[in-house]
Amino acid sequence: MKDIMVYDEAHYFDVGTSETPDIELGGVITELTESSNPTEQEKQYIHQKSKITKTTGYSNEFPITMDMVKGDKVFENFYEKFYLRKTGNDLNIDHYIVNLWENETEANTYKARKITQTVSITECNGAAGDQKQITGSLKGGDFVYGTFNTSTKTFTPNV
């Protein structure tokens, strides 16, 4: 048995363009929580005392807090979206969630998920004498399951 620590899950983001991908490790993230936010439907038939709950979908959301560090490509990408008040597809980013505790047969290759999400940075804050931070959420998207090679920074979907 092994405790799985926060650092055993790596979060990579494609901060490049569709023509020139640039997949970077989210290095200055201080907090990131995965919330599935299930969509549920309740139904009760006349012969039942209790309702039945069915999950009909998910509204994936990852609340995030990042330190503001000049030179970190992921921070700079997220901050630019906030600063320029971008909208629509300009807010999308490919997010790779890599389970570093689940190594596949190939070296440096791990079980992973890819999800295209909307970056929604809502605050830029900091108290006197503290480092500034940005906070918000990565929202939406469906997962593609596969593997991620941390050396080549490539995602291979399951067949």
Side-chain angles (χ1 to χ4, degrees):
M1 292 180 53
K2 177 189 181 306
D3 291 342
I4 297 170
M5 306 301 287
V6 172
Y7 53 75
D8 288 323
E9 182 176 81
H11 294 267
Y12 288 83
F13 301 91
D14 188 349
V15 296
T17 64
S18 55
E19 298 82 31
T20 311
D22 183 9
I23 298 173
E24 298 288 335
L25 181 63
V28 295
I29 298 169
T30 59
E31 291 183 44
L32 183 70
T33 303
E34 180 176 346
S35 301
S36 64
N37 298 322
T39 304
E40 298 177 336
Q41 179 185 47
E42 289 186 338
K43 182 86 82 162
Q44 184 175 0
Y45 296 101
I46 61 171
H47 67 279
Q48 295 174 321
K49 291 181 182 179
S50 301
K51 292 181 179 181
I52 298 169
T53 302
K54 292 182 181 179
T55 300
T56 59
Y58 296 93
S59 179
N60 293 308
E61 182 176 3
F62 291 71
I64 188 169
T65 301
M66 301 179 82
D67 284 340
M68 293 181 68
V69 177
K70 184 176 178 177
D72 182 87
K73 289 182 179 183
V74 176
F75 156 71
E76 289 178 348
N77 180 280
F78 287 18
Y79 183 73
E80 180 181 81
K81 291 174 187 330
F82 168 78
Y83 184 80
L84 296 176
R85 302 301 199 261
K86 291 188 175 187
T87 60
N89 289 336
D90 290 339
L91 293 172
N92 290 351
I93 196 158
D94 286 339
H95 177 189
Y96 302 89
I97 304 152
V98 183
N99 296 354
L100 298 174
W101 73 91
E102 294 187 282
N103 195 323
E104 298 291 323
T105 55
E106 188 180 329
N108 301 313
T109 302
Y110 303 89
K111 197 173 193 179
R113 299 174 287 165
K114 175 185 175 184
I115 186 170
T116 301
Q117 296 186 292
T118 298
V119 176
S120 177
I121 300 301
T122 55
E123 293 182 4
C124 177
N125 55 43
D130 288 345
Q131 183 174 8
K132 289 183 67 76
Q133 293 184 317
I134 57 173
T135 59
S137 289
L138 308 173
K139 296 182 177 185
D142 288 325
F143 288 108
V144 175
Y145 298 89
T147 59
F148 188 89
N149 184 299
T150 55
S151 295
T152 61
K153 297 181 184 174
T154 54
F155 178 80
T156 305
N158 292 341
V159 180

